Amino acid sequence: MRWYTSDHHFGHFNIIGYSNRPFISTAEMDQTMVERWNDVVGDADEVWILGDLVMGKRKRGLGKYVAKLKGRKIFVPGNHDRCWQGHKGFKTKRVDFYEIGLIHEIIDNPEAHTVAGRRVLLSHFPYRQGLTYQEKFAEWRPIDTGDWLLHGHVHASWQQQGQQINVGVDAWNFAPVSEDSIAAMIQAGAAEVPCLKHVLAHKT
């Protein structure tokens, strides 16, 4: 099984307020995200992480949380990741992700996937809004040429916008999204879908 996810922000206290996450501490948030991941992902599964994985004390977050995540982890760095290609010296930061976080592969510009018979692009960022639109990280955003796009970055802004599907944890109750779920959305066609309402963060 293949899964997609992004924007965990392990170790980032301020993201709780910024994204209205239902946690009182980073420890609670981080542990819940590990549990939600491991509840659905198996050891033989493949998980594509589309950026913004760890903030704060990087080595601690990688060792205490990321290393415990099941499956073969393929990482597409986002703008908050020190190993993102937009940061100076990004290659030297990758050792920690591989060795401490047990990341299997880091890919800056991944090839498109095929889901539900459709070509699907992968990026941390959503589509560029327009050639004249002044937006942050515009030069890193893909241009919409009609393909479906899996992305993160927007947190709780939407779950689906047209042919863009936000796989960020804020849109999916802090768990990865299965390829089957993505396929069902693609088969249903372009739509405007808000984020899921957060349910109780604690396991019962």
Side-chain angles (χ1 to χ4, degrees):
M1 173 70 75
R2 180 181 283 172
W3 302 82
Y4 300 93
T5 190
S6 75
D7 294 275
H8 294 80
H9 284 239
F10 282 111
H12 186 197
F13 178 76
N14 287 339
I15 199 65
I16 296 173
Y18 293 157
S19 295
N20 196 30
R21 294 185 176 184
F23 307 107
I24 61 173
S25 67
T26 54
E28 179 191 25
M29 175 182 73
D30 295 349
Q31 185 59 40
T32 298
M33 291 192 294
V34 171
E35 292 171 356
R36 291 283 169 92
W37 177 304
N38 289 340
D39 280 345
V40 296
V41 174
D43 290 331
D45 291 348
E46 178 179 279
V47 187
W48 284 74
I49 308 165
L50 303 185
D52 288 6
L53 181 59
V54 176
M55 293 184 68
K57 296 180 179 178
R58 185 178 69 253
K59 292 183 179 181
R60 180 178 184 275
L62 288 170
K64 189 171 182 179
Y65 299 108
V66 176
K68 295 179 180 178
L69 301 173
K70 294 180 180 178
R72 184 175 189 272
K73 294 168 285 194
I74 302 175
F75 187 37
V76 180
N79 58 288
H80 283 298
D81 299 305
R82 291 290 96 191
C83 63
W84 177 51
Q85 60 184 324
H87 289 302
K88 183 178 180 180
F90 67 95
K91 291 184 179 179
T92 64
K93 305 294 184 181
R94 298 195 166 182
V95 175
D96 290 343
F97 286 84
Y98 282 123
E99 295 185 353
I100 303 174
L102 304 182
I103 296 291
H104 292 78
E105 192 171 1
I106 298 176
I107 303 177
D108 292 313
N109 303 297
E111 296 290 329
H113 288 186
T114 300
V115 181
R118 299 293 299 272
R119 186 171 186 264
V120 178
L121 306 180
L122 280 72
S123 171
H124 173 65
F125 299 103
Y127 279 132
R128 193 178 306 175
Q129 296 299 309
L131 294 177
T132 60
Y133 190 82
Q134 299 299 312
E135 59 193 347
K136 199 170 184 182
F137 305 112
E139 69 273 24
W140 298 100
R141 296 182 181 224
I143 297 173
D144 186 356
T145 58
D147 290 314
W148 284 82
L149 174 68
L150 304 185
H151 66 89
H153 190 65
V154 298
H155 291 274
S157 299
W158 67 77
Q159 192 177 83
Q160 181 180 354
Q161 186 179 76
Q163 293 188 167
Q164 301 180 101
I165 299 174
N166 169 26
V167 298
V169 294
D170 295 292
W172 293 92
N173 207 34
F174 308 104
V177 191
S178 70
E179 184 173 1
D180 289 345
S181 295
I182 298 295
M185 296 176 78
I186 291 173
Q187 289 167 341
E192 303 298 318
V193 181
C195 289
L196 295 175
K197 184 178 179 181
H198 294 318
V199 298
L200 186 64
H202 302 281
K203 292 181 70 175
T204 58

